[in-house]
């Protein structure tokens, strides 16, 4: 069952500019919408495509398909039938477009996937995302061959642990009783050109594994990435349990909200775009503190992590547009991170303290007369370019429109949706090639995610998700501190008189600490201390094998002196921050409670909050 | 014409539309974008572009023009002889840097790229050049930063005044 309803109607329209003639006397735009049933096909199967056209008496459409794979029973009848080719070598998404006969610039598309030879893996009837299991634990895995011409399955294993057998449709994986590590289980079916495989990654932990747990690693990504903490997810087309792809090396980011994936990593998925009520596709531009940006369309997907699933959740697919350029207000002078090399990952999963990546500022009922400009969400039509537009955050924003904003997947889980807990094993000696840990979903919802009563619990400012930090030297409090697993160091103003590295002014090149500061909630005044140390970054980076660093830190330059953090009239301003980046996560468990969610139990702070 | 699965196929060239209000034209060679390094008229252009209210505070030999929108604040620091020597921002989004940095924009863009090329890892933006300092920090839905030209700071005014 879907937790969120997505507007299935897909279309685009000619808009109200002076640019073009939509062909109707009244000027009301012609809209087209298309539905496909079913959306996942085996070779040779058919899907019924139905188009509806509004605001014109001419309901005729012309159909086209892209790529030109498979056939349409008719390019003009409505409905029409798409027939998948009799054979296909690999799963291929097909875009089927209906163009209005009354207006050639009014069109709409639906996506279907034609499945190639593959083996679908499931656990307890659910598509199997990468799993965690404790030492001595087991996993029962079922394989369903598809389009391989055979029902026989052969299993193999690489990595730690063992399998109960080597053939059959179901198998049990047994983790070793000692020696945490990773394993990949492969199921193969068929032969020759119809051979299909399915793979499942398993992370064996000394402890802490579970259905609501995903594994975390530093140092295992596609490029060296100091303190880049990564996980793996399974992404499926909405409503499909077979059109799925595993995406590895996704950055886990408590400083952002929503799943963003390189389009190149999910090329087999027939995701449907999330559109506006006028039918145009929603595109989004997000920017980061370092000036980099991501551009991509918003699509609905089923996202599986551990044994959790976020059904029909809006995600951003990072891909450059064709036919027009990314608006310069999006690039904004920054760096496009649209490749594995520039992003240093295959995606970002934002599991921070907010449910939506924009909130009421972008919502049409949020009280603003116009959407944010430069554009955060943009409607990009086939002839009119990109315009900033509102995007709904749905019922949680008291908006009756369907959800359109990219959404923190955790709030879309049916349970375990209050927030997360991140636990990370500190690298021995403060630096190592890799580090491991866990991302646990839910707060107070399972036996493994109770909020400890003696934790420091900081209720955060809603929307901004910040708190105060005092005690850094003798300076006044920093008013906009935040905890952010996506920052790869501790970044704070240089009030400890540390040396800034001459070869890289982003980091400190002196040692300090342990330093204890006091973090205080700006919501209710509760406080707790935090302790950190600083190591010489040049020394850390000199060992090029290492990527996990406990004491990596650098300057937050705005606060070069305490005076720079005060208002003009001498009162404190919010301009200076302590960014508790990923080093803060080593050796402890940090909870993030999501704004709008409710935590129950003996320890039940009001969201949003962080706790450690 | 190539159709990308994830992009939108365009059959005609597209002209982008700038968001926001139409800029005021007050003089012959009114800069479309302004602020840093620009004159006081360019501050008004920014205000109109942002559709913001403005409040002016006077200090000894400069004034601060504070522009508030529903999603954030931008402050522009103008010397007594009418030159914008610094800008600062705080809010839910990173502001339009071309608008704010004017002729310094290309230099800013090169600085962002240089920091990005130094290696992966999200960290605060820091551009420290003799004629341009830009810093920015924060996280999604909450950013704050400042930019100034050290060479334009009025007599006796410290860089920390820009905040």
């Amino acid at each position: 069952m879907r937790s969120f309803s997505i507007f299935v109607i897909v279309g685009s329209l000619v808009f109200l500019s002076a640019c073009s003639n939509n062909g109707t006397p009244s000027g009301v735009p012609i809209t087209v919408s298309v539905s496909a049933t079913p959306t996942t096909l085996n070779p040779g199967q058919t899907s019924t495509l139905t188009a509806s056209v509004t605001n014109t008496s001419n309901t005729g459409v012309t159909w086209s398909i892209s790529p030109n794979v498979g056939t349409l029973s008719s390019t003009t009848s409505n409905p029409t039938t798409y027939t998948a080719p009799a054979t296909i070598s690999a799963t291929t998404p097909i875009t089927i477009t209906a163009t209005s006969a009354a207006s050639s610039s009014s069109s709409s598309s639906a996506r279907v996937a034609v499945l190639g030879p593959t083996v679908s893996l499931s656990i307890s009837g659910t598509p199997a995302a990468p799993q965690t299991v404790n030492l001595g634990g087991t996993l029962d895995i079922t394989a369903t061959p598809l389009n391989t011409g055979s029902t026989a399955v052969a299993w193999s294993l690489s990595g730690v642990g063992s399998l109960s057998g080597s053939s059959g449709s179901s198998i049990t994986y047994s983790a070793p009783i000692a020696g945490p590590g990773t394993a990949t289980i492969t199921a193969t079916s068929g032969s020759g050109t119809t051979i299909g495989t399915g793979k499942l990654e398993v992370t064996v932990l000394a402890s802490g594994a579970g259905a609501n747990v995903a594994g975390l690693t530093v140092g295992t990504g596609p490029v060296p990435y100091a303190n880049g903490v990564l996980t793996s997810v399974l992404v499926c087309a909405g409503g499909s349990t077979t059109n799925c792809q595993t995406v590895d090396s996704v950055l886990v980011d408590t400083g952002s909200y929503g799943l963003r994936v390189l389009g190149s990593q999910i090329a087999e998925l027939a995701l449907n775009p999330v559109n506006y009520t006028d039918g145009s596709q929603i595109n989004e531009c997000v920017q980061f503190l370092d000036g980099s940006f991501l551009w991509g369309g918003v699509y609905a997907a089923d996202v599986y992590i551990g044994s959790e699933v976020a059904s029909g959740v809006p995600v951003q697919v990072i891909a450059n547009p064709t036919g027009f350029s990314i608006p310069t207000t999006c690039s904004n002078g920054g760096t496009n991170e649209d490749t594995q090399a520039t992003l240093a990952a295959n995606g970002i999963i934002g599991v921070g303290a907010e449910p939506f990546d924009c909130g009421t500022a972008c919502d049409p009922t949020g009280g603003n007369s116009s959407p944010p400009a430069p554009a955060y969400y943009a409607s990009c039509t086939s002839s009119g370019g990109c315009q900033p537009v509102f995007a709904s955050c749905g019922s949680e924003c008291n908006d009756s429109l369907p959800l359109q904003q990219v959404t923190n997947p955790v709030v879309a889980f049916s349970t375990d949706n209050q927030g997360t807990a991140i636990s990370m094993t500190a690298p021995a000696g403060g630096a190592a090639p890799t580090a491991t840990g866990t991302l646990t979903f839910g707060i107070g919802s399972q036996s493994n995610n109770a909020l400890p009563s003696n934790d420091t619990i900081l209720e955060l400012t809603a929307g901004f998700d910040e708190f105060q930090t005092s005690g850094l030297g003798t300076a006044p409090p920093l008013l906009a501190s935040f905890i952010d697993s996506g920052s790869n160091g501790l970044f704070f103003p240089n009030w400890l008189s540390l040396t800034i590295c001459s070869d890289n002014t982003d980091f400190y090149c002196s040692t300090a600490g342990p330093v204890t500061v006091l973090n205080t909630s700006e919501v209710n005044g509760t406080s707790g201390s935090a302790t950190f140390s600083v190591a010489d970054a040049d020394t850390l980076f000199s060992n090029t094998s290492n990527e996990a660093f406990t004491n990596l830190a650098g300057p937050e330059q705005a606060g070069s002196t305490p005076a720079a953090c005060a208002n003009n009239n001498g009162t404190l301003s919010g301009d200076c921050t302590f960014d508790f980046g990923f080093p803060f996560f080593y050796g402890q468990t940090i909870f993030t409670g999501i704004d709008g969610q409710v935590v129950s139990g003996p320890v039940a702070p009001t969201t949003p909050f962080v706790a450690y | 014409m190539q159709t990308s699965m994830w992009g939108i196929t365009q059959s005609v060239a597209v002209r982008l539309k700038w968001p926001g209000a139409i800029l005021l034209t007050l003089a012959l060679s009114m800069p479309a974008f302004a602020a840093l390094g620009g004159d006081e008229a360019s501050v008004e252009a920014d205000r109109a572009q942002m559709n913001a209210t403005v409040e002016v505070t006077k200090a000894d030999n400069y004034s601060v023009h504070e522009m508030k929108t529903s999603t954030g604040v931008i402050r522009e620091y103008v010397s007594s002889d009418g030159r914008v020597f610094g800008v600062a921002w705080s809010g839910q989004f990173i502001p339009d840097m071309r608008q704010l940095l004017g002729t310094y924009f290309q230099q800013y863009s090169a600085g962002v790229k240089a920091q990005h090329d130094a290696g992966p890892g999200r960290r605060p933006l820091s551009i420290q050049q003799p004629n341009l300092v830009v810093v920015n920090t924060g996280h999604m839905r909450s950013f704050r930063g400042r930019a100034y030209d050290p060479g334009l700071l009025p007599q006796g005014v410290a860089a920390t005044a820009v905040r």
Side-chain angles (χ1 to χ4, degrees):
Chain A
M1 190 180 91
R2 294 192 174 217
S3 311
F4 290 84
S5 63
I6 297 296
F7 211 155
V8 179
I9 294 182
V10 172
S12 75
L13 86 139
V14 176
F15 221 163
L16 309 168
S17 70
C19 293
S20 43
N21 172 17
N22 59 25
T24 60
S26 65
V28 178
I30 294 172
T31 64
V32 182
S33 61
V34 176
S35 63
T37 310
T39 54
T40 304
L41 306 175
N42 289 318
Q45 276 189 345
T46 61
S47 178
T48 301
L49 280 305
T50 308
S52 66
V53 186
T54 61
N55 297 325
T56 175
S57 54
N58 179 354
T59 58
V61 295
T62 306
W63 297 97
S64 60
I65 57 178
S66 174
N68 197 10
V69 167
T71 57
L72 291 169
S73 60
S74 163
T75 56
T76 52
S77 66
N78 186 13
T80 190
T81 302
Y82 168 78
T83 303
T87 61
I88 200 161
S89 57
T91 298
T92 305
I94 310 288
T95 302
I96 304 172
T97 302
T99 302
S100 166
S103 164
S104 62
S105 44
S106 295
S107 66
S108 130
S109 301
R111 298 246 167 79
V112 300
V114 181
L115 297 180
T118 189
V119 179
S120 173
L121 298 180
S122 57
I123 294 175
S124 302
T126 302
Q131 297 286 305
T132 57
V133 63
N134 288 322
L135 292 171
T138 61
L139 289 171
D140 294 326
I141 307 157
T142 300
T144 306
L146 298 164
N147 307 310
T148 61
S150 167
T151 56
V153 177
W155 298 87
S156 64
L157 173 73
S158 71
V160 304
S162 61
L163 296 177
S164 58
S166 58
S167 61
S169 59
S170 290
I171 203 158
T172 299
Y173 167 79
S174 296
I177 56 173
T182 58
T184 301
I185 299 154
T186 303
T188 307
S189 174
S191 59
T193 56
T194 60
I195 194 166
T197 60
K199 289 183 193 293
L200 179 64
E201 301 160 11
V202 179
T203 301
V204 179
L205 300 170
S207 64
N212 62 334
V213 180
L216 298 177
T217 58
V218 171
T220 60
V223 300
Y225 188 161
N227 286 334
V229 59
L230 309 172
T231 195
S232 301
V233 304
L234 182 77
V235 185
C236 299
S240 176
T241 55
T242 50
N243 185 216
C244 304
Q245 283 191 270
T246 300
V247 184
D248 293 329
S249 300
V250 176
L251 184 77
V252 176
D253 185 7
T254 63
S256 71
Y257 322 109
L259 177 64
R260 302 161 202 288
V261 180
L262 294 177
S264 57
Q265 297 296 315
I266 48 171
E268 289 186 2
L269 299 187
L271 299 188
N272 273 302
V274 176
N275 292 334
Y276 292 107
T277 47
D278 72 3
S280 58
Q281 175 166 18
I282 301 175
N283 282 273
E284 178 182 40
C285 175
V286 292
Q287 298 172 6
F288 295 91
L289 81 174
D290 54 8
S292 55
F293 69 92
L294 297 174
W295 172 272
V298 180
Y299 294 82
D302 293 349
V303 179
Y304 295 82
I305 320 172
S307 299
E308 310 282 1
V309 55
S311 296
V313 68
V315 304
Q316 182 184 32
V317 177
I318 304 162
N320 292 338
T322 54
F324 64 90
S325 301
I326 295 171
T328 54
T329 51
C330 171
S331 48
N332 210 15
T335 307
N336 191 354
E337 294 185 329
D338 62 315
T339 65
Q340 205 180 60
T342 49
L343 186 61
N346 290 325
I348 301 176
I349 184 165
V351 290
E354 291 296 323
F356 310 112
D357 69 355
C358 184
T360 54
C362 289
D363 187 274
T365 67
N368 297 303
S369 56
S370 51
Y376 206 81
Y377 283 95
S379 162
C380 298
T381 65
S382 60
S383 59
C386 294
Q387 306 261 11
V389 284
F390 287 115
S392 164
C393 32
S395 56
E396 199 172 317
C397 295
N398 294 317
D399 187 345
S400 58
L401 286 175
L403 177 62
Q404 295 163 334
Q405 290 189 23
V406 171
T407 299
N408 185 335
V410 176
V411 303
F413 298 157
S414 54
T415 58
D416 304 328
N417 53 27
Q418 302 81 10
T420 62
I422 292 179
S423 296
M424 208 69 193
T425 304
T434 61
T436 60
T438 55
L439 171 62
T440 302
F441 300 107
I443 300 178
S445 59
Q446 306 281 353
S447 58
N448 68 351
N449 61 24
L451 196 46
S453 56
N454 60 350
D455 259 15
T456 293
I457 300 175
L458 303 172
E459 294 187 3
L460 306 171
T461 51
F464 299 98
D465 306 293
E466 288 156 353
F467 52 89
Q468 287 188 27
T469 301
S470 55
L472 187 67
T474 56
L478 297 157
L479 295 190
S481 297
F482 54 98
I483 296 178
D484 182 3
S485 66
S487 293
N488 74 334
L490 303 173
F491 297 107
F492 54 89
N494 192 11
W495 298 341
L496 303 179
S497 301
L498 304 175
T499 305
I500 296 175
C501 304
S502 55
D503 56 347
N504 187 342
T505 56
D506 297 340
F507 296 104
Y508 289 125
C509 273
S510 47
T511 56
V515 177
T516 299
V517 294
L518 188 72
N519 290 328
T520 305
S521 166
E522 292 178 357
V523 173
N524 62 8
T526 57
S527 62
S529 62
T531 302
F532 64 93
S533 296
V534 178
D536 182 326
D538 277 349
T539 305
L540 296 178
F541 293 145
S542 65
N543 184 335
T544 55
S545 310
N546 288 341
E547 291 187 42
F549 305 107
T550 315
N551 300 327
L552 181 63
E556 190 262 52
Q557 298 276 12
S560 54
T561 68
C565 301
N567 278 325
N568 288 317
N569 63 1
T571 58
L572 298 169
S573 80
D575 281 4
C576 297
T577 69
F578 196 125
D579 176 354
F580 289 89
F582 197 66
F584 190 60
F585 288 72
Y586 287 120
Q588 62 179 342
T589 299
I590 299 185
F591 291 81
T592 303
I594 300 171
D595 196 359
Q597 304 301 92
V598 175
V599 172
S600 12
V603 186
T606 303
T607 58
F609 66 84
V610 288
Y612 57 87
Chain B
M1 176 178 70
Q2 180 188 346
T3 303
S4 154
M5 178 172 60
W6 299 116
I8 295 191
T9 300
Q10 302 293 315
S11 56
V12 295
V14 156
R15 178 174 59 81
L16 296 172
K17 297 194 170 153
W18 291 106
I22 297 168
L23 297 174
L24 296 179
T25 47
L26 297 177
L28 251 122
S29 56
M30 179 61 155
F33 304 103
L36 193 62
D39 59 14
E40 204 148 348
S42 72
V43 176
E44 170 56 22
D46 290 341
R47 186 211 63 77
Q49 177 78 344
M50 289 163 38
N51 205 24
T53 59
V54 64
E55 192 181 304
V56 182
T57 311
K58 297 232 185 270
D60 272 349
N61 44 1
Y62 67 95
S63 59
V64 184
H65 299 238
E66 182 172 274
M67 287 168 269
K68 288 191 166 131
T69 66
S70 60
T71 57
V73 178
I74 288 182
R75 291 183 203 90
E76 302 193 6
Y77 294 76
V78 186
S79 63
S80 313
D81 57 338
R83 202 84 181 275
V84 179
F85 61 89
V87 294
W89 57 89
S90 168
Q92 296 185 37
F93 312 108
I94 296 179
D96 185 331
M97 289 307 203
R98 190 183 292 267
Q99 175 88 36
L100 226 49
L101 300 183
T103 56
Y104 296 83
F105 177 73
Q106 294 299 338
Q107 193 177 354
Y108 160 78
S109 184
V112 169
K113 182 176 191 309
Q115 186 176 21
H116 195 274
D117 289 350
R122 297 250 182 261
R123 49 199 190 277
L125 177 72
S126 173
I127 296 170
Q128 309 275 343
Q129 289 162 16
N131 71 328
L132 180 65
V133 173
V134 187
V135 296
N136 186 66
T137 188
H139 56 100
M140 188 171 273
R141 294 178 59 171
S142 182
F143 296 103
R144 54 208 75 235
R146 34 188 96 165
Y148 60 91
D149 181 343
L152 294 183
L153 292 172
Q155 187 83 359
V157 177
T160 55
V162 178
R163 56 179 182 252

